[in-house]
Amino acid sequence: MTLAFCGTENNSAAYKVNHGVLNNGCFVDALNVVPHVFLLFITFPILFIGWGSQSSKVHIHHSTWLHFPGHNLRWILTFILLFVLVCEIAEGIVSDGFSDSRHLHLYMPPGMAFLAAITSIVYYHNIETSNFPKLLIALLFYWTLAFITKTIKFVKFCDNKIGPPQLRFCLTGLLVLLYGMLLLVEINVIRVRRYVFFKKPKEVKPPEDLQDLGVRFLQPFVNLLSKGTYWWMNTFIRTAHKKPIDLKAIGKLPIAMRALTNYMLLNEAFKTQKNTDTPNPQGSKSIWCALCHAFGRPLVLSSTFRILADVLGFAGPLCVSGIVHHVGKGNITFRPRTKILGVFFISSQEFLANAYVLAVLLFFALLLQRTFLQASYYVAIETGINLRGAIQTKIYNKIMRLSTSNMSMGEMTSGQICNLVAIDTNQLMWFFFLCPNLWAMPVQIIVGVLLLYYLLGISALIGAAVIIVLAPVQYFVATKLSQAQRSTLEYSNERLKKTNELLRGIKLLKLYAWEHIFHSSVEETRQKEMTSLRAFALYTSISIFMNAAIPIAAVLITFIVHAHVFKNADFSPSVAFASLSLFHILVTPLFLLSNSLGETHKIGTTLFVNRKRPTREDWNNYNSPIRRPVKVTEAEDYFKMSHEITFIIVGQLTMIVGQVGCGKSSLLLGILGEMQKVSGNVTWNSNIPDNETGEDILYPPTVPVFQALAYASQKPWLLNATVEENITFESPFNKQRYNAVIDACSLQPDIDILPHGDQTQIGERGINLSGGQRQRISVARALYQQTNVVFLDDPFSALDIHLSDHLMQEGILNMLRDDKRTVVLVTHKLQYLPHADWIIAMKDGTIQREGTLKDIQKSETELFEHWKTLMNRQDQELEKESLIERKAVLDRKTLQSTVYSREALLQDDEEDEDETPESDDEDNLSSVFHQRAKMPWRACGKYLSSAGFLLLPLLVLSQLLKHSVMVSTDFWLAHWTWSAIAFRGAKNCSYEQECRFDHSYYSKIFTILCGLGIILCLITSIAVEWTGLKVAKKLHCLLLNKIILAPMRFFETTPLGSILNRFSADCNTIDQHIPATLECLSRSTLLCLSALAVISYVTPMFLIALVPLAVICYFIQKYFRVASRDLQQLDDSTQLPLLSHFSETVEGLTTIRAFRYESRFKQKLLEYTDANNIASLFLTAANRWLEVRMEYIGACVVLIAAVTSITDSLSHKLSSGLVGLGLTYALMVSNYLNWMVRNLADMELQLGAVKRFNSLIKTEAEKYEGLLSPAQIPQNWPDQGEIQIQNLCVRYDSTLKPVLKHVNAHISPGQKIGICGRTGSGKSSFSLAFFRMVDTFEGRIIIDGIDIAKLPLQTLRSRLSIILQDPILFSGTIRFNLDPEKKCSDSMLWEALEIAQLKHVVKALPGGLDASITEGGENFSQGQRQLFCLARAFVRKTSIFIMDEATASIDMATENILQKVVMTAFADRTVVTIAHRVHTILNADMVIVMKRGVILEYDKPEILLEQEGSVFASFVQADK
């Protein structure tokens, strides 16, 4: 057919100009081409040639500065313009189809207009981002010309009586309106920016965010197209494929999204809420109102997007119905009746009667619907993330005002706070994500039911009723699922608590052979957890089953009723497949609505219940400072003072002494305001300046400011930072002072053996340091600060005598007192009392006596004599002599060139090892973190193989069968409906009864197939969840067995947090997440594959288009998976420092507040929160990036499937039933394609948990079996306690150097042996060798005639007793801590407590032996904990008893009593004592002096003391 601009018909009106040139329709259309040609010719040279220095006047990093007024309106109008132009092109093509020749003027001008519209927006974007507003003058002329020419056309239509019934008239009117509005937008830009027609153009500056090179999250700044398609993420995703994503790559948050900004917004909302007249301003309703006030607007926007998306979602079924209907009629439309100016005009109804038009409209509807849906998701999640940041900041602010006494009493634990931050804030975030669902879904349900009624009549309501009736069941299941999850979480927390205690006390458990007791305890809790997990799995499988089965049941009932009850009703493919799509749409909101309501209920109960805690109200009772010295008046803080005291005098050293548990630490805490004060007050001197002046404006001080002071707590508190950062503690670095502090605390030798010196990262809670190192770094921090007041709470408890003396002389006396600093020292070391300017003696929570040493000597002679005995000091000259001796020893020690591995440090600095082999492993940690491996198929195989050989085939076969049956059902439906239509078309009968189609045969088969599908849905859902349960049970059991039997070296070289993560996060992933992801992945993959197979079968031409789509899809998922994995890991890894910061703050609250560092820690919190939020936002944007692209590919699949099936059908090759089937499945592809890729990425990430589990399961266990059978070992072995050590060589690992070298010794039965030596001499290694905790590679130990290497480990360790330096107590009762094996009577337990000087303490507790001990024994002092550990060892009553520096945290008086009791009560037992304080072993039968793993001296103490040059004698001299 020939082409011509105005057509080729004879006597065509298109070429007649009798009534004037403007009355010629073809000329008017030609005139409309002029503006578009003008724009293309003007703009193309500028776009392609470009211009010199872009952004020359304004230097910004990103070309995303959108600063012209009306920017968003312009983009929206341009999008609408493009859609209207597409409709105009389509209308021109369709109407021209009725003419005898082709009229190009009907669709060429809108085609040119389409190109010009795209050019205009590209041109505008370049000009805007380059800041050249003068070039916008071209667009001003274009919009003016386009508006004029289109108005002429519209007027001529009106003149020729062409009105609204004709579609072209409506489209032209719309275009006039759009061009006019765009012209107004352009004029407004001139008015505001004044770039032409004005003398002085308006200068504008880019926002602060875009001037910051660190801001890389551009979603708030880019144009609407890039916002909707996440185009700005392309560069980021491509870069991620080349190199790993780190915090530097994702940059900083935009200002509006930072935690600080959102906290201020939330605070303002809370203030507004408080100002309103509400009866209960603190209630949950008030909190909700404040949250909605602060973050409600974005939610409304998200809900609007969601409602628009849901409404557009119904275009799919309606278009499918229309296409199948018109295809069934051969796509024949009636010839239009209107022919004016030589061309046909069609109505909108005639336009929509074309199947191809519907296919294109369906394509555009899907694009728009998916864009709106993803925009809704993004806005909701972004709002949730912003809210989470604000809430976390608010919680932190609250923590800073919490009373530490409440926390120590267990009213609020560190774990609860971490749960609040990690779980509750995330739940609130996800609730905000669910909010738009709650509001939009009722609309979706109502519209869906109305459309079903329109298609099927009453029978649709019956089907919808099935779904609606089952909705409460779904809600019930969702509620039960939530309850099961909560129950599982409770048991999981209990299991984690027990596992944590087990791992923290693993050394003690192995030494006491108690692994099986704690293993059984963890397994018992795991069994309870598994019971809850079974319930969780059951309800999850029911939920999955109902979600899959309800639409099948609804469709079955509807179609059976429709076919058999309403026999004359339309049962064509168009009705059937449109209804099928609607049912699938309808069941999703009902399922999500029930889940959302369940989630809402859960969040409501968890977030606002029992969260209010008392703050430090005692601050408000602090009087204004009026006196120079600090004063405490009758302060009752769990201890009482009988009279007013004035004791902390400026520039002097005050010492507080007293027995264990008398209230020394409590007095310090009371002065700091950390106790619950009943009465009295503390007055601080106001003349001393505060080094933290004022508070951050965000955190106004709620309490009177007292002066900052340096504080070292009894339990060392360290940051997860470098050694240097822990010492300087945010203060300016002063090298001279830093080195002086290092020397005073004797830290240089320790720093030398650290892998990276003082830049070595200290693990959480100082996990990679010994107790003494932790203590000295904590004291070093206090010494380094330039504060006028220093509080030191028992700084010598974990130090030996040499380190203590050096610290006292160089640190406290020379650095602090000589600088006239006010020092308060709590100590048990009474030998330092002569240095005190003021002494406070405490007893049973009261001040027994205070004054100078001379005052006490005069007034309290008995007390002074008691002290003198304990001090064991002759005079000051002797002290000076010992200090000189000790200094020489330290100098020699510093010169030793020893290098220890990082892991060896965990052995309390006792191994002399090489660091090199370990450093390489540490360097590999970063590469392991960013290991960008492919899909972990091996881990997947391990997971599935753990399910067993019965479940795995059932799982695979049931999935394949289910999807085969579902496809067969839909094929049968296509055949059924086509048969019904064909029968009616073929029959030409006179009686109505003869024309009725018999549905019974078809309906029976359809019912059987649907029933089979429902049964298979149930089987698959149960199979997946039961597979998950079996694997979870098996993997946890394997891991626990392996870990508990692992050698001690494993725990020393593997961070505790890493092992705990396997039992917490990874276990949770395997328990709950992998089964759901596996089910979702298999379902979405099989649905996509079956859909593509069906479409390809229906229209083989589709396969040609499928190849490029598959290639695009492959590359998108490939790039996405890499970026998603990195971002997910980054999201997790940035959450850990945040939670760690909360945990650190809670533990070090007293120290932080003492230093007045609240604002600094709050600033750190903001940084950690922003880092976590930026990772979460990038992850969200990456997910949206994927989903938008997958949805667009899905829309392309629908368009191609529709066009090919319409073409095939019109050539009479295809039935309308198969067309309907193909299109229905094409819509499914668009729904499930992104789910497939997302689940693939999730599965890849989650299988990492299996991989990590598997690596730990491969850990080799200790050799528990022995060469001797139980029958060969005497029942009461060892009964004598004789020990022979022959040529003993010991090391911690086969790759490390020996720590004991050729040691020989003989210990007779009942002897009391004392072992002493410097740090690192091998004392503790010596004691551990008895228990085979270390690798004995040469020599042997014989106890009572039996070589211990031949004994089973369990037997050996259960027959010996040891007390470790670090006191370890478990949560439970006192009875359980003393005797977990339940072998002893109450009288035996009381006897042990009496020996340990604890009987009176336990008697006073409610419940006595059944009184509870909190986690870690936090409700007892450090000294009392150590005494409980002594009592525990006494209970065992073995013939060999080892004390490893067991009295380090005990005052001298109690220690002396204990030593006497041990010597008398254990007169017949062999006792080996490793001592810090050498005087404690002076009464021993024999003394062993060790150095570098070798015995230097071995003899009776009196003989060694008499020997000239004896090392032991020098130790005793130094200890006096």
Side-chain angles (χ1 to χ4, degrees), residues 1498-1518:
Y1498 180 31
D1499 214 326
K1500 293 180 179 179
E1502 53 269 24
I1503 295 172
L1504 291 175
L1505 285 171
E1506 289 170 6
Q1507 283 180 4
E1508 191 177 342
S1510 165
V1511 177
F1512 179 67
S1514 68
F1515 285 168
V1516 174
Q1517 189 79 349

Side-chain angles (χ1 to χ4, degrees), residues 244 926-934 1125-1126 1129 1251:
S926 57
S927 63
V928 168
F929 176 76
H930 269 307
Q931 191 180 5
R932 300 153 74 75
K934 293 179 181 177
R1125 184 168 62 242
D1126 280 3
Q1129 286 175 340
K1251 201 174 175 182

Side-chain angles (χ1 to χ4, degrees), residues 271-381:
K271 284 177 186 174
T272 308
Q273 197 61 35
K274 276 183 182 177
N275 293 336
T276 56
D277 298 326
T278 50
N280 182 19
Q282 295 297 318
S284 60
K285 185 183 176 184
S286 174
I287 295 171
W288 280 118
C289 289
L291 292 178
C292 291
H293 183 269
F295 300 100
R297 282 185 183 179
L299 278 189
V300 172
L301 180 65
S302 175
S303 301
T304 307
F305 284 148
R306 182 59 198 259
I307 290 167
L308 286 170
D310 288 345
V311 170
L312 281 167
F314 291 109
L318 292 176
C319 287
V320 167
S321 176
I323 290 167
V324 176
H325 176 73
H326 295 313
V327 162
K329 292 184 176 180
N331 203 29
I332 299 165
T333 52
F334 296 105
R335 192 177 182 85
R337 289 169 293 180
T338 310
K339 188 174 184 181
I340 304 166
L341 301 173
V343 290
F344 287 102
F345 284 75
I346 59 171
S347 66
S348 56
Q349 192 175 355
E350 289 163 341
F351 179 68
L352 292 173
N354 189 290
Y356 288 108
V357 168
L358 287 175
V360 174
L361 285 176
L362 173 58
F363 174 70
F364 279 111
L366 283 174
L367 288 183
L368 202 57
Q369 188 243 344
R370 303 305 184 189
T371 307
F372 277 139
L373 187 64
Q374 297 309 323
S376 170
Y377 288 159
Y378 172 78
V379 173
I381 294 174

Side-chain angles (χ1 to χ4, degrees), residues 811-1044:
I812 296 169
L813 299 179
N814 293 356
M815 289 190 74
L816 298 180
R817 195 171 71 168
D818 290 0
D819 284 354
K820 299 296 180 185
R821 309 265 286 281
T822 307
V823 184
V824 181
L825 173 65
V826 171
T827 184
H828 291 138
K829 305 265 184 179
L830 300 180
Q831 65 264 37
Y832 301 138
L833 284 177
H835 298 295
D837 299 308
W838 194 259
I839 298 167
I840 298 164
M842 297 195 68
K843 188 176 182 182
D844 299 330
T846 62
I847 302 292
Q848 185 184 5
R849 189 74 181 83
E850 60 172 322
T852 63
L853 192 60
K854 286 183 179 178
D855 292 342
I856 294 170
Q857 184 179 359
K858 289 175 184 175
S859 58
E860 297 280 347
T861 314
E862 190 180 335
L863 178 64
F864 179 78
E865 287 301 319
H866 177 59
W867 283 356
K868 193 174 176 183
T869 309
L870 294 172
M871 282 191 286
N872 201 17
R873 292 265 178 175
Q874 307 277 317
D875 50 32
Q876 286 297 101
E877 292 302 316
L878 184 61
E879 181 206 350
K880 286 178 185 173
E881 211 174 285
S882 67
L883 282 169
I884 293 162
E885 163 72 14
R886 182 204 38 72
K887 200 168 193 315
V889 173
L890 273 173
D891 289 340
R892 285 198 301 275
K893 185 182 173 188
T894 309
L895 291 171
Q896 295 171 2
S897 56
T898 54
V899 187
Y900 284 10
S901 76
R902 177 172 181 270
E903 289 78 12
L905 295 170
L906 295 160
Q907 280 298 331
D908 294 345
D909 286 352
E910 287 160 18
E911 310 88 331
D912 184 4
E913 297 165 359
D914 189 6
E915 178 252 345
T916 312
E918 302 297 336
S919 62
D920 295 337
D921 294 339
E922 188 175 81
D923 291 338
N924 289 334
L925 287 175
S926 57
S927 63
V928 168
F929 176 76
H930 269 307
Q931 191 180 5
R932 300 153 74 75
K934 293 179 181 177
M935 190 76 186
W937 296 114
R938 211 173 267 179
C940 187
K942 172 71 180 173
Y943 181 85
L944 293 172
S945 62
S946 300
F949 293 105
L950 284 175
L951 270 177
L952 189 57
L954 175 68
L955 184 68
V956 175
L957 284 172
S958 61
Q959 287 281 9
L960 291 172
L961 271 173
K962 183 182 88 170
H963 285 89
S964 303
V965 167
M966 284 171 74
V967 171
S968 305
T969 308
D970 293 334
F971 260 107
W972 187 256
L973 181 63
H975 177 58
W976 180 7
T977 52
W978 174 246
S979 300
I981 292 293
F983 176 81
R984 290 197 174 184
K987 283 279 182 183
N988 187 12
C989 46
S990 54
Y991 296 102
E992 192 181 326
Q993 287 182 350
E994 292 176 13
C995 288
R996 281 183 183 167
F997 178 72
D998 186 13
H999 292 280
S1000 57
Y1001 166 69
Y1002 294 95
S1003 61
K1004 281 175 186 173
I1005 302 292
F1006 187 70
T1007 306
I1008 291 165
L1009 287 171
C1010 285
L1012 200 58
I1014 290 169
I1015 292 164
L1016 285 167
C1017 282
L1018 182 63
I1019 292 168
T1020 51
S1021 61
I1022 290 172
V1024 167
E1025 289 300 322
W1026 247 246
T1027 301
L1029 269 180
K1030 189 169 181 183
V1031 173
K1033 186 177 180 181
K1034 186 175 179 180
L1035 288 179
H1036 182 273
C1037 189
L1038 275 172
L1039 182 65
L1040 185 62
N1041 287 337
K1042 284 286 183 180
I1043 291 293
I1044 207 157

Side-chain angles (χ1 to χ4, degrees), residues 1399-1425:
K1399 188 173 182 180
H1400 65 286
V1401 176
V1402 177
K1403 283 264 187 190
L1405 293 172
L1409 288 171
D1410 294 315
S1412 54
I1413 293 176
T1414 57
E1415 191 175 356
E1418 290 293 330
N1419 53 339
F1420 291 97
S1421 72
Q1422 185 86 355
Q1424 286 172 327
R1425 276 178 252 166

Side-chain angles (χ1 to χ4, degrees), residues 73 79 161 199 222 299 313 344 376 386 407 509 640 644 855 885 936 981 1023 1073 1092 1094-1095 1129 1261-1262 1299 1447 1497:
L73 180 60
F79 287 142
K161 304 291 190 295
K199 287 182 180 178
V222 292
L299 278 189
F344 287 102
S376 170
N386 289 340
M407 297 174 76
L509 298 185
K640 297 178 182 178
E644 182 180 290
D855 292 342
E885 163 72 14
I981 292 293
H1073 296 178
L1092 293 172
V1094 167
I1095 299 165
Q1129 286 175 340
E1262 281 187 285
V1299 287
T1447 56
E1497 297 173 354

